[in-house]
Amino acid sequence: MNSLTALQQLPANLDKHRLPNHVAVIMDGNGRWAKNRTLPRIMGHQRGVDTLKDLLRCCQDWGIPALTVYAFSTENWGRPEEEVKFLMTLFERVLRRELDEMMTENVRIRFIGNLNSLPQSLQDEISYSMDKTATNSGINFSVATNYGGRQEIINACQKIADQVKQGLINVNEINEKLFESYLYTSGIPNPDLLIRTSGEMRLSNFLLWQMAYAEIYVTQTLWPDFDRTEFQKALLDYQQRNRRFGKL
Ligand code: IPE
Ligand code: IPE
Ligand code: MG
């Protein structure tokens, strides 16, 4: 089932002036989706790619300027070796296959995370796609791969400490703005909305700093089943929230 042709316009019950500027997604539940069908877990990951493709297109269609998705956490290395291997190969294959279309659609893709420890062939594909789409002016699409929020914060601290050591930054110049500029997401506004599929109510080490004031939406729907209608529900829920940011 694919909702590519349905819901191409922003649904009438959504206010186009109150859309999130940045949506972050924890794409969870691929394994359970497969298990429910007595399929191997990897089939769930495979189907998850189709869901992601449609969500990316939907964000473009509906005018959401930034999408960040969690594809592989620093903790996911703890999974069975064959699943990890499958995922790495899948990322590479999908990236190669989709690059032309992303160019046509003006998508700017970037990968965030500790990319140095990914397989070399995937790293090559990643740098190629990031360079190639760097000047595209469409949606900012970030894929968190070997990403961990704590690791990202430590990485920023190390870089800043090094600058201090070299005398390029004074300690009293370290503020939120400077710190953010050392995060992988530098230049992209913090997410307004975090969606997590398949029911778990946790962050699982995703964008810890950036999520400080994100609205959180958790759905029981498993990632491969998360279609445009589900996304519409999440946005509707978001638009009914009262974002106070600590004020009255
Ligand atoms: C999310 O689905 C995808 C990745 C973590 C790569 P899961 O593989 O975690 O699916 P469940 O949670 O086992 O159902
Ligand atoms: C979070 O899902 C990571 C990704 C979606 C890539 P997990 O399935 O790894 O999270 P936990 O283990 O349920 O916290
Ligand atoms: Mg999971």
Side-chain angles (χ1 to χ4, degrees), residues 26-28 70-73 76 79 196 200 202 204:
I26 301 178
M27 310 182 289
D28 198 14
Y70 207 4
F72 193 88
S73 73
N76 287 147
R79 295 191 177 198
R196 181 163 187 152
E200 248 72 64
R202 55 178 171 253
S204 301

Side-chain angles (χ1 to χ4, degrees), residues 37-89:
R37 289 165 176 75
T38 58
L39 293 168
R41 292 178 53 84
I42 57 169
M43 296 301 286
H45 298 315
Q46 190 104 40
R47 279 300 293 263
V49 173
D50 300 335
T51 305
L52 175 56
K53 237 190 115 169
D54 194 34
L55 179 66
L56 175 64
R57 183 161 291 127
C58 187
C59 287
Q60 291 170 289
D61 289 350
W62 293 358
I64 292 167
L67 173 69
T68 298
V69 298
Y70 207 4
F72 193 88
S73 73
T74 48
E75 288 73 30
N76 287 147
W77 294 108
R79 295 191 177 198
E81 198 188 326
E82 58 179 312
E83 180 168 343
V84 171
K85 263 198 182 145
F86 176 85
L87 286 167
M88 295 299 151
T89 316

